[in-house]
Amino acid sequence: MELQPSEVTAVLKQEIEGFEASASTAKVGQVLQVGDGVARVYGLEDCMMSELIEFPDGVMGMALNLEEDNVGCVLLGNAASVKEGDTVKSTGRIISVPTGDAMLGRVVNALGQPLDGKGPTGATDDDLRPIEQTAPSVVEREPVSEPMSTGIKAIDAMIPVGRGQRELIIGDRQTGKTALILDAIINQKNTGGGDPNNPEQVLCVYVATGQKQSTVVEVLRRLEESGAMPYTIIVNAAASEEASMQFISPYSGTAMAERFRDAGRHVLIAYDDLTKQAYAYRQVMLLLRRPPGREAYPGDIFNLHSRLLERSAKVSKTATDISPEKYSKGGGSITSLPVVETQEGDVSAYIPTNVISITDGQIFLEANLFYSGVRPAVNVGISVSRVGGAAQTPAMKKVAGGLRINLAQFRELEAFAQFGSDLDAATQQTLSRGARLVEVLKQGQYKPLVNADQIVSIYAGTSGMMDEIAVDQVPDFVEGFVDFVNSTQPDLIAELNGWKTKWSEEIEAQVKAAADQYRSQYAG
């Protein structure tokens, strides 16, 4: 076969005409050192703080130390495949997580990747938000004025939480901190019937940091049984995961919550718990050779928690006029319930005092109360809400007005009464009433109460209608009385459930009449 020069020329011309030159540039570096989930990289000159760095085999890292001649990265994922000399790429993207409605009802890790076996979340690149965002400015906020009902009598009556507040839950291990959070999440079903598309429905984010996998599975099971998962996101950075994933998980959960807040929705977020996040952060920072301070924590440990919790706020209704590019609708809020674990009830340790000074109050759960059967084990003496009555319904505020002081007097006299038997009538009356109030405030786990049921229960304790009832019969009496009022006076219950309802003489007369009627027929 002869090759004609003209044919060769035609083929070459065709190839040249169809040739498209393309060149791509990538900012690359080289791994100098790797170990314990931390890598030092040389060559990434234009790297940003918190930028995502791509390592071989799909492992991602986050730039935390920007030094003169190298970048200190924490590895997010399996670090075993990364070795010295590997080539790494800069992504030019700050670490971000998927957000939006697609995340509701899902269990995800700190990067927003699904862990529940239900397939991809369906979130797009447009749904990505950086995990670090600036908190709303002073002019974008408004004072806390709406109640965030937890469904727990002891809290809603004496330590009320409002929408946009940051209320710390603090106590030793195994004192019921997670149970308190679950009750609060389950109770939010009352705001919008559990339908996440209802604009009145409070959405919830539960961030499990450093928890056992079995604990998270139990939380998921409880929420599914209660019908609370459709409006809840669980962000899980378990104890078995890298310290880097544990320390960024609260920020990831907050970014997901902010997406809803900026659209005018109300969100409840729980960080369970920030002590373990602090441990993880300390580990990462020591590996990155940052200088240790008190208790070996780095100098910015306070900032770690303050910049996280400052993002929880009540956004003003006029925020869209101030920052239209950030807020699609004003009036949203993030209420946060951070958890801190103490050792032997020591609230004066480093991390507890840090978080107490950042938050707007704390609920202190005492081990001694818990083991003596008072559950929830709220210590009324050092628990406080710095928002106070502004976050309470007017009816609850009136009925529960003297509750706190009565309980405080009871605790003081109870200790005193152990040493003497000759007590005057007034002291005996205070002890008798106080013992019954303690019983009234006891509540079963995963049984949150609506506002009206709480008001009726507390009225039963503070009005003196149970002074003649034996202390061990008080829980049964209160439960029966609440059921009685619900069945005989549904209109009154509906009215008391309203946020703006005031405790008028007319309402008090109705409740008192129901109390007299029930007490007369109570078999005991």
Side-chain angles (χ1 to χ4, degrees), residues 87-159:
T87 300
V88 301
K89 287 183 193 171
S90 174
T91 62
R93 182 162 63 89
I94 300 296
I95 183 167
S96 307
V97 289
T99 60
D101 292 340
M103 307 301 287
L104 291 168
R106 303 301 300 267
V107 182
V108 296
N109 68 6
L111 297 175
Q113 296 160 343
L115 299 174
D116 51 12
K118 295 179 182 175
T121 58
T124 63
D125 287 349
D126 293 337
D127 295 321
L128 291 173
R129 280 179 78 114
I131 64 169
E132 296 266 13
Q133 298 264 7
T134 52
S137 65
V138 174
V139 290
E140 291 168 357
R141 297 171 182 243
E142 66 179 32
V144 173
S145 58
E146 300 172 38
M148 170 66 76
S149 179
T150 62
I152 299 161
K153 288 178 280 191
I155 293 172
D156 291 345
M158 296 182 290
I159 317 144

Side-chain angles (χ1 to χ4, degrees), residues 95-380:
I95 183 167
S96 307
V97 289
T99 60
D101 292 340
M103 307 301 287
L104 291 168
R106 303 301 300 267
V107 182
V108 296
N109 68 6
L111 297 175
Q113 296 160 343
L115 299 174
D116 51 12
K118 295 179 182 175
T121 58
T124 63
D125 287 349
D126 293 337
D127 295 321
L128 291 173
R129 280 179 78 114
I131 64 169
E132 296 266 13
Q133 298 264 7
T134 52
S137 65
V138 174
V139 290
E140 291 168 357
R141 297 171 182 243
E142 66 179 32
V144 173
S145 58
E146 300 172 38
M148 170 66 76
S149 179
T150 62
I152 299 161
K153 288 178 280 191
I155 293 172
D156 291 345
M158 296 182 290
I159 317 144
V161 180
R163 290 182 177 177
Q165 189 176 344
R166 302 157 301 171
E167 186 78 6
L168 171 65
I169 299 172
I170 184 168
D172 287 4
R173 61 185 301 276
Q174 298 294 314
T175 49
K177 300 186 295 295
T178 303
L180 220 61
I181 288 168
L182 289 185
D183 278 355
I185 292 175
I186 293 166
N187 192 58
Q188 300 316 311
K189 193 174 179 181
N190 296 320
T191 59
D195 178 11
N197 298 316
N198 183 342
E200 296 301 314
Q201 175 64 54
V202 175
L203 305 172
C204 301
V205 181
Y206 176 77
V207 181
T209 301
Q211 300 290 326
K212 292 181 294 187
Q213 294 280 29
S214 58
T215 306
V216 181
V217 169
E218 178 63 13
V219 167
L220 175 63
R221 187 178 70 82
R222 287 287 178 187
L223 293 178
E224 283 179 337
E225 282 178 3
S226 308
M229 264 319 279
Y231 57 85
T232 304
I233 304 169
I234 295 179
V235 180
N236 180 28
S240 57
E241 292 201 37
E242 296 80 8
S244 53
M245 296 288 265
Q246 291 181 42
F247 112 72
I248 68 167
S249 59
Y251 294 99
S252 303
T254 308
M256 294 173 196
E258 281 176 328
R259 169 76 181 270
F260 298 117
R261 180 203 66 193
D262 295 349
R265 297 294 293 269
H266 297 288
V267 187
L268 174 67
I269 183 166
Y271 306 107
D272 193 8
D273 67 59
L274 292 187
T275 313
K276 294 187 179 71
Q277 187 211 11
Y279 293 161
Y281 186 65
R282 174 171 64 184
Q283 178 183 327
V284 168
M285 291 303 114
L286 289 173
L287 289 168
L288 284 170
R289 298 284 188 268
R290 286 201 190 170
R294 177 178 165 185
E295 291 182 26
Y297 288 106
D300 65 343
I301 190 72
F302 183 91
N303 180 254
L304 174 82
H305 290 146
S306 64
R307 74 176 190 264
L308 170 71
L309 293 168
E310 261 323 289
R311 290 159 71 179
S312 298
K314 177 80 171 74
V315 174
S316 166
K317 290 181 178 61
T318 59
T320 46
D321 302 333
I322 301 159
S323 305
E325 70 290 341
K326 183 175 181 182
Y327 302 102
S328 58
K329 187 180 177 186
S333 70
I334 295 179
T335 310
S336 61
L337 297 176
V339 173
V340 163
E341 189 181 290
T342 54
Q343 307 286 334
E344 294 293 319
D346 180 17
V347 293
S348 61
Y350 191 23
I351 300 302
T353 48
N354 275 359
V355 184
I356 285 171
S357 66
I358 296 162
T359 51
D360 309 311
Q362 69 275 348
I363 297 164
F364 180 62
L365 301 177
E366 195 174 8
N368 291 341
L369 286 175
F370 185 84
Y371 297 133
S372 64
V374 179
R375 299 176 187 178
V378 178
N379 179 323
V380 186

